[in-house]
Amino acid sequence: MAVNDQCINFLLTTAQHSVFQYFSGCLEKYDITPAQYGVLSCLWDIEYSTPKQIAEELCLEMSTISGVLDRMQKKGLIERAANEKDRRGIRVIVTEKGKELKEPVTQIVEDVNKRVLGMFNVEDAEKFRQTLRAVAQEKY
Amino acid sequence: MAVNDQCINFLLTTAQHSVFQYFSGCLEKYDITPAQYGVLSCLWDIEYSTPKQIAEELCLEMSTISGVLDRMQKKGLIERAANEKDRRGIRVIVTEKGKELKEPVTQIVEDVNKRVLGMFNVEDAEKFRQTLRAVAQEKY
């Protein structure tokens, strides 16, 4: 076992890398990335959102989200529209093409969750989720 | 709570991002990154290693490790030497400058572990480590 197996950053990084690669592979069929799925999941059930709201929900920097939205717009998954009430504001709206991904991609997420967490019992899997949430939300 | 809070990849990514940012900030003082710490930790207690061995130990692709080693060599933390027994092979050796980081950086890793895992009891923290290892090592 590696020396740095004791380092919590190393453990989180290797676990994340492993699941990210697996999830990315599963999404390839629909030509979207995990981050693009994140954006879609913010938009599927609401009329519109702003880039700032999406960035906050996904814990991403604004500079990162801009690039993700650019690529999604090119693929025809989202549109950006001016906000009539606030001329500086931009609204992000999911297109029909983006909406059509909701059912198959939600199924992929469920399958990936089952595959990754299926090796633990229900109680341990829920505890793992809770611990990850707590680690993510802590202000270091 | 975000819709994609149910997605295990999202939970792992946000937890990893949060700890990675924190750990990176702590290492800034010594002008190294988490990946560079990983390489150093592979070399501190042994005479030499090969790029392939380091990549395997850190679960990184060879293309990634080459770039990390390039930057570390420029900083004078490691050296690359030809392997006399295998002319194609390269040995990676830690320099005195790299060795001197062992004590302070190991202390940072311990402090970061305590800060991140300190909000859980000892049993839960150990269970969390074990779960991350299992998730990382699974072949998806």
Side-chain angles (χ1 to χ4, degrees), chain B residues 26-78:
Chain B
C26 297
L27 290 176
E28 260 175 23
K29 190 177 162 186
Y30 295 100
D31 192 27
I32 60 169
T33 64
Q36 291 171 7
Y37 153 69
V39 171
L40 287 173
S41 77
C42 293
L43 296 168
W44 277 329
D45 295 313
I46 57 170
E47 201 183 341
Y48 64 86
S49 192
T50 67
K52 190 161 175 255
Q53 284 167 339
I54 295 172
E56 280 170 7
E57 192 138 356
L58 300 179
C59 309
L60 291 173
E61 281 82 37
M62 278 299 280
S63 54
T64 307
I65 209 73
S66 296
V68 176
L69 294 176
D70 285 348
R71 287 184 287 278
M72 291 179 77
Q73 192 161 1
K74 274 187 194 157
K75 284 185 193 172
L77 297 170
I78 59 145

Side-chain angles (χ1 to χ4, degrees), chain A residues 13-27 33-36 112 116, chain B residues 8-10 12-13 135 140:
Chain A
T13 299
T14 48
Q16 190 273 341
H17 184 71
S18 187
V19 171
F20 182 88
Q21 296 289 107
Y22 172 49
F23 186 40
S24 297
C26 296
L27 290 176
T33 64
Q36 292 172 6
V112 167
V116 174
Chain B
I8 187 64
N9 178 69
F10 177 75
L12 278 164
T13 298
V135 168
Y140 299 107

Side-chain angles (χ1 to χ4, degrees), chain A residues 3-139:
Chain A
V3 177
N4 44 41
D5 184 56
Q6 287 309 308
C7 172
I8 187 64
N9 178 69
F10 177 75
L11 291 175
L12 277 164
T13 299
T14 48
Q16 190 273 341
H17 184 71
S18 187
V19 171
F20 182 88
Q21 296 289 107
Y22 172 49
F23 186 40
S24 297
C26 296
L27 290 176
E28 259 176 24
K29 191 177 161 187
Y30 295 100
D31 191 27
I32 60 169
T33 64
Q36 292 172 6
Y37 153 69
V39 172
L40 287 173
S41 77
C42 293
L43 296 168
W44 277 328
D45 295 314
I46 57 171
E47 202 183 340
Y48 63 85
S49 192
T50 67
K52 190 162 174 253
Q53 284 167 339
I54 295 171
E56 280 170 7
E57 193 138 357
L58 300 179
C59 309
L60 291 172
E61 282 81 37
M62 277 297 282
S63 54
T64 307
I65 209 73
S66 295
V68 176
L69 293 176
D70 285 348
R71 287 185 287 279
M72 291 180 77
Q73 192 161 1
K74 272 187 196 159
K75 283 185 195 174
L77 297 170
I78 58 146
E79 277 169 15
R80 280 155 159 138
N83 183 342
E84 286 156 27
K85 290 178 195 158
D86 173 6
R87 289 183 57 191
R88 291 165 306 172
I90 282 172
R91 290 177 173 186
V92 183
I93 302 155
V94 65
T95 61
E96 277 307 311
K97 186 180 170 189
K99 275 183 196 164
E100 280 166 13
L101 293 179
K102 183 178 177 183
E103 202 187 308
V105 169
T106 303
Q107 186 60 52
I108 286 176
V109 172
E110 281 175 26
D111 292 346
V112 167
N113 282 347
K114 268 187 208 158
R115 178 70 188 82
V116 174
L117 297 171
M119 57 180 146
F120 311 109
N121 65 44
V122 176
E123 204 178 278
D124 285 354
E126 185 48 38
K127 185 124 190 177
F128 184 49
R129 284 176 183 277
Q130 282 172 12
T131 307
L132 288 171
R133 269 184 214 117
V135 168
Q137 283 162 16
E138 182 75 7
K139 300 284 168 233

